[in-house]
Amino acid sequence: MEFEQSATTQERPSVPADGAEPFASFIVCTRNRIRTLGASIRSIETACCAHAGVGSELVVVDNGSTDGTADELARIASCSKMPITLVAEPRSGLAVARNAGMARARGRVLVFIDDDCEVDRNYLADLERHYANGEQRVIRGGRVELGDPADLPFTIKRSKVAARLTPDVHPGGFVLGCNMTMHREVAARIGLFDERFGAGAPLKAAEDTDYLVRAFQLGIPVEYVPDMIVHHHHGRRLRAAIEELHRNYSLGNGGLCLKHLLGAPWLLKHFGWTVRSACGEAFGGARFDPKLQLSHWPIVSMNIVGAARFARLAMTSLAPRTERRQAEQAASKLR
């Protein structure tokens, strides 16, 4: 009987008493991904059950889905082994959804996982170890493996070497937004995600990269660790889909470069390096991604388009509040 009780305990994550904050809040934002969402949630449940002594919760933000996601989430939440908070955010945009998730999360550590990613069984154990033994005032991201070998090897990071962001490294992809964590006090200091960036927004990408740059400007380290693994089931198997994503990333990074032109001028240096590489490519030099045969030239052209688009947004009434005001509002929500 004692053994059975112990086994039962290990099968259910620790649920904090009412009002007590859990250690980790997993935040999953979703829009019309009902086919992958269930597997993503199950993987988080499994990781939390495997490390059941650590309090955890799941916050799922439905960003205006029209494919029956709301009903499926209600069904999942009703029989889940862990506390699940469901948030409806009809305003389109990944950054908007991330902000809605942060506002409802109660954990000391915020964990952003995409709805087409599955976390490794040891994820919560790795997360707790890093935040117990390492620096807490940091943005920390882990490895992103390809979930399905039939998908093209893009939007992944397989490095097995720990590293910290420096101006010599472009922040895009250094820590991926599908596997990004931070202490809530760090999020309160940086502020909300810039809603001009990210999927569903005018600049289509780079809401996570913008967050990294803002952290770096505040003296908050950005750290990559080779564990805390997620498996990305992005489903892109055609070259056209990868090329479109490549252009979108470059569009967002162009807006990012102009936004931080004064605060992080080292981003302009990376644009210059890309122009040089593109010119070299025209004379037989290496492509941006030789394996996928992705060129430097779309990066250059879309960076310019992204900068122009950001300039237009900055001059309109749709431009969001300043970062200082963002930080103040986010801090009040995250306390």
Side-chain angles (χ1 to χ4, degrees), residues 65-78:
S65 296
T66 57
D67 63 348
T69 290
D71 291 339
E72 178 65 10
L73 282 174
R75 184 194 67 77
I76 291 173
S78 68

Side-chain angles (χ1 to χ4, degrees), residues 48 102 165 192 213 228 263 270 305 329:
C48 293
M102 281 203 298
L165 180 67
L192 303 177
V213 173
M228 288 170 42
H270 290 283
V305 172
Q329 294 195 1

